[in-house]
């Protein structure tokens, strides 16, 4: 092979690798991440007691711009016009998260309305989480209460 053919093969090889990396980055970021909810004990800093709080996790880091938890019945009837039980809004350059728990104050985010603290969730009641992220809108319905442990 001549020197010219070797250079052409190297350039084509680098272009193919670049196209693969670009395609992986574009298509990987286009799919919304999977969301998981489970109940975990959180220690209350004021009282020292452990309380069960819903914890939400993602399969990939997401940048949240808006986060609202609604009563499921009110959300089904009124949609986005319903009054949320917890609402945070953030800057477009918010921190990428892998997870959070209900009521947590997330860095670079603030309460939607000043003084509107998270409402204590009612046991065995349905709620709807709606988040606007860099990867689109994520919605999840959940019931607040203890989770059943699988038999051992």
């Amino acid at each position: 092979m001549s020197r010219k053919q070797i250079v052409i093969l190297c350039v084509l090889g680098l272009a193919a690798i670049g196209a693969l990396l670009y395609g992986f980055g574009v298509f990987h970021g286009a799919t919304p991440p999977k969301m998981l909810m489970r109940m975990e004990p959180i220690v209350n800093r004021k009282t020292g007691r452990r309380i069960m709080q819903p914890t939400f996790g993602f399969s990939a880091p997401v940048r949240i711009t808006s986060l609202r938890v609604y009563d499921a019945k009110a959300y089904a009837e009124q949609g986005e016009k319903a009054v949320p039980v917890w609402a945070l809004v953030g800057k477009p350059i918010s921190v990428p998260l892998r997870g959070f728990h209900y009521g947590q104050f997330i860095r670079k985010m603030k309460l939607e309305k000043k003084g509107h603290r998270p409402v204590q969730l009612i046991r065995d009641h349905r709620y709807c989480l709606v988040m606007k992220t860099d990867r689109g809108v994520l919605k999840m319905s959940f019931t607040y209460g203890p989770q059943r442990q699988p038999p051992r």
Side-chain angles (χ1 to χ4, degrees), residues 9-145:
L9 285 175
C10 287
V11 169
L12 288 175
L14 288 174
I17 291 171
L20 284 172
L21 291 175
Y22 176 76
F24 177 75
V26 168
F27 294 116
H28 179 68
T31 59
K34 292 180 176 52
M35 193 164 38
L36 173 74
M37 191 283 288
R38 66 180 183 187
M39 299 297 286
E40 285 190 1
I42 306 294
V43 177
N44 186 332
R45 291 184 181 165
K46 291 180 182 177
T47 62
R49 290 180 44 212
R50 289 171 28 143
I51 54 175
M52 296 301 282
Q53 286 286 30
T55 302
F56 304 92
F58 309 104
S59 60
V62 294
R63 293 180 187 272
I64 301 171
T65 56
S66 159
L67 178 142
R68 291 180 179 89
V69 177
Y70 297 98
D71 176 72
K73 188 176 180 183
Y75 184 74
E77 292 171 359
Q78 302 171 4
E80 297 275 331
K81 295 178 183 176
V83 177
V85 293
W86 180 46
L88 292 176
V89 290
K91 300 174 183 171
I93 50 171
S94 64
V95 187
L97 292 175
R98 292 283 286 196
F100 63 93
H101 64 267
Y102 176 80
Q104 175 181 351
F105 286 98
I106 300 168
R107 200 171 66 191
K108 295 201 177 185
M109 295 189 83
K110 62 181 180 176
L111 292 169
E112 188 175 55
K113 293 179 183 173
K114 195 169 185 168
H116 188 249
R117 300 266 180 214
V119 175
Q120 177 65 40
L121 298 178
I122 301 167
R123 187 181 202 111
D124 297 327
H125 196 79
R126 271 207 68 78
Y127 294 94
C128 184
L129 168 69
V130 179
M131 292 188 318
K132 293 180 182 168
T133 69
D134 58 340
R135 296 186 182 186
V137 178
L138 300 175
K139 294 181 182 181
M140 177 185 208
S141 293
F142 67 95
T143 303
Y144 177 68

